[in-house]
Amino acid sequence: MVGIVSYGTYIPRYRIVVDEIARIWGEDAEVVKRGLGVEQKSVPGLDEDTATIAVECAREALRRAKIDPKKIGAVFVGSESHPYVVKPTGTVVAEALGVGNEYFCADLEFACKAGTAGIQICYAMVKAGMIDYGVAIGADTSQSRPGDALEFTASAGGACFIIGRNCIAEIEGTFSFTSDTPDFWRREGQPYPSHGGRFTGQPAYFRHIFMATKGLLEKLGLKPSDFNYVVFHQPNAKFPMRVAKMLGFGKEQVRTGLVVPYIGNTYSGSSLIGLASVLDVAKPGERILVTSYGSGAGSDSFSFVVTDKIEEFERNPTVLDKIRECEFIDYGTYVKFMRKIRR
Amino acid sequence: MLPKFWRKIRFRYGLIGSYCENCGNYYYPPRNLCPRCRRKGKVKEVQFSGYGRVLSWSVVHDAVENFWISKPYVVALIELDEGARIIAPLDCNPREIEEGMRVRAVFRKFGEDGEEGIIHYGTKFVPIG
Ligand SMILES: [Zn+2]
């Protein structure tokens, strides 16, 4: 039985509300909030980046796992905001965890689905007997051009999953759907990503999530009603609700894992923090479906079955605790924290 | 600068210090020799829990170029639960600090060698709760 042995999350404590961003750019805040279903987003502090977020969520996962860090055989960090273009974030994380030097490592990049790609790699490596435990992290401090629609949601956060045997949630199966679809990209040396506007919806987000999820359900011979919870990548609150409906899932199945209204789109952390918030309350025997989405484009779909082990597993502080513990900042402070102004 | 930073990465990231089995004292940064026991000391490497309390602090209002953007910031003398004392940045509102306040270690960016240089990471502290 291979699956999630432990998990941890990190959400920076600063928040900016949609109203504040809308005020600066002359947008109607109510229209924006209704359109996106997002109230506020998380903002990293001046001394936080993808590496610090990755380390914090990984340390929480390791503490909860109660395993010797030397037993970790692989570290994969998925992000679209790795601090270095050349030099892996994974090495910083492994050093901070005390993994030693004998481990497999690579940074992954696939827009918002790089973290779930890491889970698939760890899952395969554990199954193949190459490693006992693998660490898969999705973390980002996403950037957005001032005044761009992305600025209302592009936020920061991360989640870490330790994959191995003796798990709290078994991976029942995984399925991916990938294509060359240029809906969102960032070229080398460019500070902000570009996107295809409305093009990001139908041929990109909806098609990939729909096909990956459908593929997984067919492969496992399951139907939407077999799942207690479903988590989709959440660039806003509307997209996951709509794709859930397209696939035949109900709103109640989506709600527990929907964190985007309170922290925004944490990119590589998005579906994974959603999964963590579901695991925070899940009971043995419950089934969870997760489908990530990464622009460019692809989706990874997973079915997890929660085991008895979750009952003695330490789940505090929960994702909800971290959502609540926050400090609001104004747009000026936000611009300074994101280093959008220079002296 | 680079070799000096690289050699100390373990101790900066992980809050690893020393423990003397002879007198029971803890030290950070790690030492090869116990200053109390000298040659009788038996020094071992130890991983601190990362929890402690504030003994004293300074609020820095006039920072050097690299830290200018973070001002005012706090540097605190912290007593770790194990007993060792450490001087480290404390990420909190200067008006909210109190003597004896409980804190925990977090992993944060310390600075960078300009836009092209390496990024320095290390341990800072935040208030608990
Ligand atoms: Zn001694």
Side-chain angles (χ1 to χ4, degrees), chain B residues 20-25 27 34-38 40-43:
Chain B
C20 174
E21 287 185 325
N22 191 48
C23 64
N25 279 295
Y27 302 102
C34 175
R36 289 184 178 82
C37 311
R38 304 276 169 184
K40 278 187 285 175
K42 277 174 102 179
V43 175

Side-chain angles (χ1 to χ4, degrees), chain A residues 1-8 64-65 161-162 164-171 279-280 282-286 288 304-315:
Chain A
M1 195 154 72
V2 178
I4 298 165
V5 170
S6 181
Y7 66 98
R64 290 168 169 184
F161 289 81
I162 300 179
R165 293 174 199 281
N166 219 347
C167 47
I168 56 168
E170 183 191 2
I171 298 174
L279 288 171
D280 281 347
K283 296 178 192 71
E286 290 189 321
I288 307 163
F304 297 98
V305 179
V306 180
T307 73
D308 294 341
K309 285 234 167 290
I310 198 129
E311 294 198 310
E312 66 245 39
F313 184 79
E314 176 61 60
R315 293 188 265 187

Side-chain angles (χ1 to χ4, degrees), chain A residues 164-182:
Chain A
R165 293 174 199 281
N166 219 347
C167 47
I168 56 168
E170 183 191 2
I171 298 174
E172 200 178 18
T174 180
F175 189 92
S176 291
F177 184 86
T178 314
S179 80
D180 181 356
T181 306

